[in-house]
Amino acid sequence: MPGAPKLWSLKSRLEIPLAHVRGATHDLGIARERKGIRVGGTNLPGVITVGRFLSNGERLFCDVKNPDKAVVIELADAETYDRLVIEVDDPRATVALIEQSIAKG
């Protein structure tokens, strides 16, 4: 179902300039936490969380099936979202790559 996350999130692609990325963490708990009000997408707790959420003024985008592989990316105020919570194959390597890229940038 490669196209399904696009349909569930109502987004086909996000492009974020590295200059707008503040940092990244491998957060095992974030994907399981309550996200707030769903603005678009799908949220079936324990199954899939894909879409846009609003909680206490924070704008969040999620695309996670496996919470153990969730990475949280903090964004600058210039972006549409404050944080991205995305599933990646290797969370630790992804976080390291993002942090190294920020340090070089």
Side-chain angles (χ1 to χ4, degrees):
M1 299 189 332
K6 290 179 185 180
L7 175 64
W8 292 326
S9 70
L10 305 176
K11 280 273 193 203
S12 62
R13 184 179 184 146
L14 290 175
E15 290 186 38
I16 310 292
L18 183 59
H20 295 185
V21 177
R22 291 184 176 166
T25 57
H26 177 208
D27 188 335
L28 296 173
I30 188 74
R32 293 179 178 92
E33 290 177 7
R34 186 163 165 71
K35 304 298 177 287
I37 299 168
R38 186 182 52 192
V39 180
T42 301
N43 186 24
L44 300 171
V47 178
I48 189 168
T49 302
V50 179
R52 299 170 286 166
F53 298 84
L54 184 61
S55 178
N56 297 322
E58 181 182 56
R59 302 156 301 165
L60 180 69
F61 180 84
C62 295
D63 187 352
V64 177
K65 286 188 205 174
N66 182 350
D68 295 334
K69 293 188 172 194
V71 169
V72 179
I73 301 172
E74 301 283 337
L75 301 174
D77 294 334
E79 285 301 324
T80 303
Y81 300 104
D82 298 300
R83 292 190 299 165
L84 306 176
V85 181
I86 57 173
E87 181 179 327
V88 297
D89 290 331
D90 187 340
R92 291 172 210 244
T94 300
V95 167
L97 178 62
I98 291 170
E99 292 295 325
Q100 290 170 3
S101 297
I102 291 170
K104 290 178 185 177

